[in-house]
Amino acid sequence: MGEAGEIQLQIAGIRGQEGGDDHGQRAGNGGACPPTTAAPRPALSKRLAWWALVLVNVVFVLAGQSVATLLGRIYYDQGGKSLWMQTVVQSCGTPLAIPLLLYFRTRKSSSSSSVAPAARPPLAKLAAIYAGLGVLLAGDNLMYSYGLLYLPMSTYSIIGASQVSFNAVFSYFLNKEKFQALILNSVVLLTFSAALVGVSHGSDGSGSDIPKGKFPAGFALTLSASALFSLILSLMQLTFEEVLKSDTLPTVLEMQFWSNTAAACVSVAGLFASGEWRGIAGEMAAYRKGEVAYAMTLAWTAVSWQLCTMGLMGLVAAVSSLFTNVISTVGTPLSPVIAVIFLGDRVDGEKLLAMLIGVWGLLSYVYQHYLDDRAKAKKMGERSDEQLQAGKISAE
């Protein structure tokens, strides 16, 4: 894992900083090599900081996604019926990011006198990108709301794991990611896993209130939502690399805030245009756990989705959309267990086999990236040794 971590540093933009620090030290010593004990400390601190950032984002994704999905299923089981309300809460938690945005803006303004500001894309271009991403997110959230209504939580989670296979394809075309043999194996296995769930009996044995005859629609909508979500992640990675040319935390928060604000506006417009807003008061009064539980369920769903979204975008910026999808689908084995414990879902033989095949596909994917990272880390080590030898020769 340590070898794989070294190559991930280049994704986070650290390789340039390390190279710059090394050249600066040599210049300050009149071309001589710096002491061997001085260089590792900043590299180690950057390594730890990067891993800490990735770990926090992973926790946000897994915890936020699991809790939000569970609360979404509970909302329907306790009498909630508004699909657009479920869509709104998936993106309306953006105000929680405002304090962080203000904090980083204050830090940026205080340090702007000593550091030249980076060139930013035109405002109209950024607005168009964020608005476009917001529309796609709103559509994706709506399809996920339908899927969660029409499917048991365990089935929904297994089908959602297919987003890794979709993202592998989108990343190949949009982000120039390699399509290795194990990646292809992962795509095939995850596709087969989703297909196995699709041909099974679907909602039988579920403890949730699943509408009769809606399994095909739920399967199709959840699969489509997985594909669209994978496309959104690839587009976000492309935006970080080609448009914003930055993967700093303030940039990540800015994209997350404005794209989700746009998605929330589209969702609220859909709530009013569909007329579902008229039934909110009656839905709250008829909620089985009471009006307070209704409000708390929606509020904590919004908070959970906000944390999940912040974690997703942080991982896209720090690593890649492919890695983000892997982390997002790591919860696939956990969701059926949560559904069995809290919702009374029954995991039959077909569903268990589909889950195991999906886990096999995910492990194939992770192992391929481990091999790639190890090979790249080896090349970087050889290159560093060559540069060190060249510096010694020039100093002599």
Side-chain angles (χ1 to χ4, degrees):
M1 196 70 181
E3 293 175 342
E6 292 180 4
I7 183 59
Q8 298 289 7
L9 295 176
Q10 65 172 322
I11 305 174
I14 294 177
R15 60 181 176 184
Q17 297 175 11
E18 290 179 345
D21 293 343
D22 184 60
H23 290 307
Q25 289 174 354
R26 291 184 182 180
N29 291 327
C33 293
T36 55
T37 57
R41 290 186 178 178
L44 180 61
S45 64
K46 291 171 184 176
R47 226 179 252 119
L48 293 176
W50 184 85
W51 275 112
L53 178 63
V54 170
L55 181 60
V56 169
N57 285 322
V58 168
V59 171
F60 279 179
V61 170
L62 294 181
Q65 181 177 260
S66 300
V67 173
T69 305
L70 178 63
L71 290 175
R73 185 63 258 175
I74 290 175
Y75 167 80
Y76 289 130
D77 289 346
Q78 297 300 319
K81 296 180 177 62
S82 176
L83 290 163
W84 279 107
M85 178 59 74
Q86 271 291 294
T87 305
V88 168
V89 297
Q90 292 183 51
S91 54
C92 72
T94 49
L96 295 175
I98 292 178
L100 284 174
L101 282 171
L102 294 176
Y103 169 73
F104 284 112
R105 187 177 291 266
T106 304
R107 284 188 57 185
K108 183 178 179 181
S109 61
S110 62
S111 61
S112 60
S113 57
S114 58
V115 180
R120 284 178 57 86
L123 181 60
K125 186 176 183 179
L126 285 178
I129 291 174
Y130 294 151
L133 289 173
V135 171
L136 292 177
L137 280 170
D140 185 66
N141 292 341
L142 180 61
M143 287 192 288
Y144 272 129
S145 298
Y146 272 103
L148 194 56
L149 173 63
Y150 292 160
L151 298 174
M153 179 179 167
S154 55
T155 305
Y156 167 89
S157 301
I158 293 172
I159 298 173
S162 62
Q163 68 189 41
V164 171
S165 57
F166 288 117
N167 193 240
V169 176
F170 289 130
S171 295
Y172 176 79
F173 289 105
L174 296 177
N175 309 123
K176 300 178 182 178
E177 297 279 356
K178 293 182 179 180
F179 212 36
Q180 305 283 9
L182 286 175
I183 299 295
L184 180 61
N185 179 63
S186 174
V187 171
V188 172
L189 289 173
L190 289 169
T191 303
F192 184 72
S193 174
L196 184 60
V197 173
V199 299
S200 68
H201 46 67
S203 60
D204 293 349
S206 170
S208 300
D209 296 332
I210 308 298
K212 298 294 183 181
K214 295 295 186 179
F215 179 80
F219 176 84
L221 287 168
T222 304
L223 198 64
S224 300
S226 299
L228 181 56
F229 183 70
S230 299
L231 175 62
I232 290 170
L233 289 181
S234 293
L235 291 174
M236 286 179 175
Q237 182 180 347
L238 189 66
T239 303
F240 282 125
E241 295 173 348
E242 303 296 334
V243 179
L244 299 174
K245 300 185 185 302
S246 172
D247 57 7
T248 61
L249 186 55
T251 305
V252 172
L253 286 173
E254 181 180 311
M255 174 180 279
Q256 187 271 336
F257 178 81
W258 291 113
S259 59
N260 275 270
T261 298
C265 292
V266 173
S267 302
V268 170
L271 178 66
F272 282 92
S274 65
E276 288 187 3
W277 65 276
R278 297 188 183 93
I280 292 178
E283 182 177 283
M284 183 182 296
Y287 200 69
R288 294 171 191 169
K289 295 293 185 180
E291 297 183 359
V292 175
Y294 178 88
M296 293 298 293
T297 299
L298 294 179
W300 284 110
T301 303
V303 171
S304 300
W305 278 125
Q306 173 66 17
L307 292 176
C308 178
T309 305
M310 290 176 64
L312 287 171
M313 293 197 177
L315 289 177
V316 168
V319 190
S320 70
S321 61
L322 280 172
F323 181 81
T324 304
N325 254 319
V326 171
I327 295 301
S328 179
T329 52
V330 162
T332 299
L334 301 177
S335 296
V337 176
I338 294 174
V340 170
I341 295 174
F342 293 100
L343 302 176
D345 280 13
R346 184 172 65 87
V347 180
D348 55 18
E350 292 175 340
K351 198 178 291 184
L352 180 61
L353 180 60
M355 185 180 71
L356 293 176
I357 293 174
V359 172
W360 182 10
L362 291 175
L363 291 177
S364 298
Y365 183 91
V366 171
Y367 185 64
Q368 179 62 64
H369 276 271
Y370 167 74
L371 294 177
D372 292 343
D373 290 346
R374 188 174 181 180
K376 291 177 182 177
K378 185 177 180 180
K379 290 182 180 179
M380 287 181 63
E382 293 174 352
R383 192 179 308 159
S384 298
D385 292 341
E386 292 175 358
Q387 293 176 351
L388 183 61
Q389 291 296 330
K392 289 181 178 180
I393 293 173
S394 61
E396 293 173 356

